[in-house]
Coordinates of all heavy atoms in Angstrom, one line a residue:
V1 N 0.2 0.7 -4.3 CA 1.0 0.3 -3.2 C 0.3 -0.8 -2.4 O -0.9 -0.8 -2.3 CB 1.4 1.5 -2.3 CG1 0.2 2.1 -1.6 CG2 2.4 1.1 -1.2
F2 N 1.1 -1.8 -1.9 CA 0.5 -2.8 -1.0 C 0.3 -2.1 0.4 O 1.2 -1.4 0.9 CB 1.4 -4.0 -0.8 CG 1.5 -4.9 -2.0 CD1 2.7 -5.1 -2.6 CD2 0.3 -5.5 -2.5 CE1 2.8 -6.0 -3.7 CE2 0.4 -6.3 -3.6 CZ 1.6 -6.5 -4.2
C3 N -0.9 -2.4 1.0 CA -1.2 -1.9 2.3 C -1.5 -3.1 3.2 O -2.1 -4.1 2.7 CB -2.4 -0.9 2.3 SG -2.1 0.6 1.4
M4 N -1.2 -2.9 4.5 CA -1.6 -3.9 5.5 C -2.6 -3.3 6.4 O -2.5 -2.2 6.9 CB -0.4 -4.4 6.3 CG -0.8 -5.3 7.4 SD 0.6 -6.0 8.4 CE 0.8 -7.5 7.5
Y5 N -3.7 -4.1 6.7 CA -4.6 -3.8 7.7 C -4.1 -4.5 8.9 O -3.9 -5.7 9.0 CB -6.0 -4.3 7.4 CG -7.0 -3.9 8.4 CD1 -7.5 -2.6 8.6 CD2 -7.5 -4.9 9.4 CE1 -8.4 -2.3 9.6 CE2 -8.3 -4.5 10.4 CZ -8.8 -3.2 10.5 OH -9.7 -2.9 11.5
T6 N -3.7 -3.7 10.0 CA -3.0 -4.3 11.1 C -3.9 -4.8 12.2 O -5.1 -4.5 12.2 CB -2.1 -3.2 11.7 OG1 -2.9 -2.2 12.4 CG2 -1.2 -2.5 10.7
A7 N -3.3 -5.5 13.1 CA -4.1 -6.0 14.3 C -4.6 -4.9 15.2 O -5.6 -5.1 15.9 CB -3.2 -7.0 15.1
Q8 N -4.0 -3.7 15.0 CA -4.5 -2.5 15.8 C -5.6 -1.8 15.1 O -6.1 -0.8 15.6 CB -3.3 -1.6 16.1 CG -2.3 -2.1 17.0 CD -1.4 -3.2 16.3 OE1 -1.1 -3.1 15.1 NE2 -0.9 -4.2 17.1
G9 N -6.0 -2.3 13.9 CA -7.1 -1.6 13.2 C -6.7 -0.4 12.4 O -7.5 0.4 12.0
T10 N -5.4 -0.3 12.0 CA -5.0 0.8 11.2 C -4.5 0.2 9.8 O -4.3 -0.9 9.7 CB -3.8 1.5 11.8 OG1 -2.7 0.6 12.0 CG2 -4.2 2.1 13.2
H11 N -4.4 1.1 8.9 CA -4.0 0.8 7.5 C -2.6 1.3 7.4 O -2.3 2.5 7.6 CB -4.9 1.4 6.5 CG -6.3 0.9 6.6 ND1 -6.8 -0.1 5.8 CD2 -7.3 1.3 7.4 CE1 -8.0 -0.3 6.1 NE2 -8.4 0.5 7.1
Q12 N -1.7 0.4 7.0 CA -0.2 0.7 6.9 C 0.2 0.6 5.4 O 0.4 -0.5 4.9 CB 0.6 -0.2 7.8 CG 2.1 0.0 7.7 CD 2.5 1.4 8.2 OE1 2.1 1.7 9.3 NE2 3.2 2.1 7.4
P13 N 0.3 1.7 4.7 CA 0.8 1.7 3.3 C 2.3 1.3 3.3 O 3.0 1.6 4.2 CB 0.5 3.1 2.8 CG 0.4 3.9 4.0 CD 0.0 3.1 5.1
G14 N 2.6 0.7 2.2 CA 4.1 0.4 2.0 C 4.5 -0.9 2.5 O 5.7 -1.1 2.8
W15 N 3.6 -1.9 2.7 CA 3.9 -3.2 3.2 C 4.9 -3.9 2.3 O 4.7 -3.8 1.1 CB 2.7 -4.1 3.4 CG 2.9 -5.4 3.9 CD1 3.1 -5.9 5.1 CD2 3.1 -6.6 3.0 NE1 3.4 -7.2 5.2 CE2 3.4 -7.7 3.9 CE3 3.0 -6.9 1.7 CZ2 3.6 -9.0 3.4 CZ3 3.2 -8.1 1.2 CH2 3.5 -9.2 2.1
L16 N 5.9 -4.5 2.8 CA 6.9 -5.2 2.0 C 6.9 -6.7 2.4 O 6.9 -7.0 3.6 CB 8.3 -4.6 2.2 CG 8.5 -3.2 1.7 CD1 9.9 -2.7 2.1 CD2 8.3 -3.1 0.2
A17 N 6.9 -7.6 1.5 CA 6.9 -9.0 1.7 C 8.3 -9.4 2.1 O 9.3 -9.0 1.5 CB 6.5 -9.8 0.5
S18 N 8.4 -10.3 3.1 CA 9.7 -10.9 3.5 C 10.0 -12.0 2.5 O 9.1 -12.4 1.8 CB 9.7 -11.4 4.9 OG 8.8 -12.5 5.0
Q19 N 11.2 -12.5 2.6 CA 11.5 -13.7 1.7 C 10.6 -14.9 2.1 O 10.1 -15.6 1.3 CB 13.0 -14.1 1.9 CG 13.9 -13.1 1.2 CD 15.4 -13.6 1.2 OE1 15.7 -14.8 1.2 NE2 16.3 -12.6 1.2
A20 N 10.4 -15.0 3.4 CA 9.5 -16.1 3.9 C 8.1 -15.9 3.3 O 7.4 -16.9 2.9 CB 9.4 -16.1 5.4
D21 N 7.6 -14.7 3.3 CA 6.3 -14.4 2.7 C 6.2 -14.7 1.2 O 5.3 -15.3 0.7 CB 5.9 -12.9 2.9 CG 5.6 -12.5 4.3 OD1 5.1 -13.3 5.1 OD2 5.9 -11.3 4.6
M22 N 7.3 -14.4 0.5 CA 7.3 -14.6 -0.9 C 7.4 -16.1 -1.3 O 6.9 -16.5 -2.3 CB 8.5 -13.9 -1.6 CG 8.3 -12.4 -1.6 SD 9.6 -11.5 -2.5 CE 10.8 -11.3 -1.2
L23 N 8.0 -16.9 -0.4 CA 8.1 -18.3 -0.7 C 7.0 -19.2 0.0 O 6.9 -20.4 -0.3 CB 9.5 -18.8 -0.1 CG 10.7 -18.2 -0.9 CD1 12.0 -18.6 -0.2 CD2 10.7 -18.7 -2.3
A24 N 6.2 -18.6 0.8 CA 5.1 -19.3 1.5 C 4.1 -19.8 0.5 O 3.8 -19.2 -0.6 CB 4.5 -18.4 2.5
E25 N 3.5 -20.9 0.9 CA 2.4 -21.5 0.1 C 1.0 -21.5 0.9 O 0.1 -22.1 0.6 CB 2.7 -23.0 -0.2 CG 4.0 -23.2 -1.0 CD 3.7 -22.9 -2.5 OE1 2.6 -23.0 -2.9 OE2 4.7 -22.5 -3.2

């Protein structure tokens, strides 16, 4: 699973990319 390390210092499993994230360069 993709996880995000957040600005609050926690690990959030289940991160989902937005369309903007998927198209970003």
Side-chain angles (χ1 to χ4, degrees):
V1 62
F2 288 121
C3 295
M4 173 178 266
Y5 181 77
T6 70
Q8 293 75 32
T10 61
H11 298 265
Q12 178 64 54
W15 178 84
L16 295 174
S18 67
Q19 289 186 29
D21 290 329
M22 289 185 272
L23 295 171
E25 299 282 337

